């Protein structure tokens, strides 16, 4: 779903008139919040400068979602669009459970996750004064983050790119802590352990762009069978792991009464 579609789906589930909302990873436009009659909108994002709108409705808080600086049972909903793949999901859900009022909803749409063909999510890598993006800069072949070890990937990429760029990409895949490297099963486990009630968990493997990497050395390039790769990943992780899940919709609710 697009950002507009995500917000529309969220609106279909939560009455925002007079509501207090915590947004994880973003800052929705203030005019949109005015149209919905939001009472207070906290934008929790460690990469944004702290600020408060003139009317006090939207407050950007420079903090990590895992350390949400909001009072217990203080918000009606937690909303997130395209951020959970960067977070410690279990810790974030603990915070969501704490700050939600009884009956409050958590709504998160995110991806691509590590289980996906493009789970490396090439972003936040700067090269030649430009930020690379996985949908425009399809430099990494399908399943690059799972099918190649560090040196195999380095050799492959250096066969078609400069050494500097190849090494930047290898570092992003294997070392960068921007992405959480969580598989679909990890998100499910975190949701089940969160204390929040299950409302909906939907997923898709749909890819909305074409992966067309540079011409690499054919002798180093692998033809990946996703089913076989899933078996290999499952063996490495010691738990059954399915591959292909790309984008996820997670909707959870805090129980109306204590159990």
């Amino acid at each position: 779903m697009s950002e507009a579609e995500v917000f529309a789906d969220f609106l279909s589930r939560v009455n925002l008139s007079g509501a207090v909302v915590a947004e994880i990873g973003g800052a929705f436009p203030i005019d949109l919040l005015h149209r919905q009659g939001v009472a207070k909108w906290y934008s929790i994002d460690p990469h944004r400068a702290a600020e408060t709108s003139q009317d006090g409705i939207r407050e950007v808080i420079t903090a990590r979602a895992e350390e949400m600086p909001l009072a217990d049972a203080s918000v009606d909903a937690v909303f997130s669009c395209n951020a959970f793949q960067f977070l410690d999901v279990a810790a974030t859900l603990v915070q969501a459970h704490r700050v939600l009022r009884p009956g409050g909803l958590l709504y998160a749409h995110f991806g691509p996750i590590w289980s996906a063909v493009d789970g490396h999510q090439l972003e936040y890598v700067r090269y030649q004064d430009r930020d690379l993006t996985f949908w425009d800069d399809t430099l990494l072949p399908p399943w690059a983050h799972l099918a190649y070890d560090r040196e195999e990937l380095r050799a492959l990429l250096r066969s078609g790119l400069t050494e500097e760029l190849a090494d930047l990409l290898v570092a992003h895949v294997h070392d960068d802590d921007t992405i959480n490297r969580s598989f679909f099963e990890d998100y499910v486990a975190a949701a089940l352990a969160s204390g929040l009630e299950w409302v909906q968990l939907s997923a898709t493997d749909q890819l909305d762009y074409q992966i067309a990497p540079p011409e690499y050395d054919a002798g180093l390039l692998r033809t990946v069978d996703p089913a076989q790769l899933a078996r290999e990943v499952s063996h490495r992780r010691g738990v059954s792991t399915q591959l292909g899940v790309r984008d996820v919709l997670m909707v959870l609710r805090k129980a109306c009464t204590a159990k």
Side-chain angles (χ1 to χ4, degrees):
M1 294 189 289
S2 67
E3 188 174 86
E5 290 170 328
V6 168
F7 191 68
D9 188 41
F10 175 61
L11 286 180
S12 73
R13 301 167 188 263
V14 178
N15 180 7
L16 291 185
S17 179
V20 178
V21 179
E23 178 186 8
I24 295 175
F28 259 67
I30 188 65
D31 61 332
L32 181 61
L33 306 182
H34 284 159
R35 290 200 298 272
Q36 301 303 325
V38 174
K40 185 73 175 185
W41 186 279
Y42 296 105
S43 294
I44 314 296
D45 193 328
H47 304 295
R48 295 179 185 269
E51 64 170 353
T52 302
S53 60
Q54 288 186 340
D55 55 15
I57 290 178
R58 190 187 68 192
E59 181 179 348
V60 178
I61 301 175
T62 307
R64 299 171 67 239
E66 299 90 335
E67 301 165 349
M68 207 177 300
L70 299 176
D72 294 357
S74 61
V75 305
D76 299 294
V78 174
F79 171 80
S80 184
C81 180
N82 206 34
F84 266 51
Q85 68 270 33
F86 302 114
L87 306 171
D88 179 328
V89 180
T92 297
L93 292 181
V94 167
Q95 288 297 306
H97 184 277
R98 181 183 64 79
V99 303
L100 279 169
R101 292 171 178 152
L105 194 77
L106 175 138
Y107 182 103
H109 185 274
F110 52 95
I113 65 171
W114 198 244
S115 300
V117 64
D118 57 346
H120 55 76
Q121 185 154 353
L122 177 60
E123 284 190 78
Y124 309 108
V125 175
R126 195 161 186 82
Y127 181 67
Q128 295 184 343
D129 298 322
R130 188 174 70 84
D131 290 326
L132 303 178
T133 59
F134 62 88
W135 59 92
D136 284 328
D137 303 289
T138 58
L139 303 172
L140 289 159
W143 305 109
H145 58 302
L146 298 175
Y148 301 82
D149 67 25
R150 181 189 302 271
E151 294 311 317
E152 288 171 339
L153 185 59
R154 189 188 311 278
L156 174 68
L157 297 181
R158 284 187 174 187
S159 74
L161 305 173
T162 66
E163 288 190 5
E164 179 187 15
L165 179 53
D167 291 349
L168 276 175
L169 297 180
V170 170
H172 170 76
V173 170
H174 286 279
D175 303 315
D176 193 350
D177 62 359
T178 302
I179 44 181
N180 62 24
R181 296 179 177 80
S182 292
F183 291 88
F184 179 65
E185 290 78 9
D186 300 324
Y187 290 98
V188 172
L192 291 172
S194 68
L196 296 167
E197 297 179 343
W198 201 274
V199 176
Q200 181 179 349
L201 186 67
S202 302
T204 180
D205 62 358
Q206 182 177 345
L207 193 68
D208 56 2
Y209 69 98
Q210 183 179 4
I211 300 177
E215 188 172 335
Y216 292 122
D217 184 336
L220 301 174
L221 192 62
R222 292 183 174 177
T223 300
V224 178
D225 175 2
Q228 176 59 34
L229 182 60
R231 288 191 288 271
E232 294 172 4
V233 170
S234 297
H235 178 73
R236 293 201 297 262
R237 281 168 39 87
V239 61
S240 180
T241 303
Q242 61 178 314
L243 299 183
V245 174
R246 185 175 187 274
D247 294 294
V248 178
L249 172 62
M250 178 187 294
V251 186
L252 306 172
R253 187 182 301 279
K254 186 170 181 176
C256 291
T257 57
K259 295 182 179 180

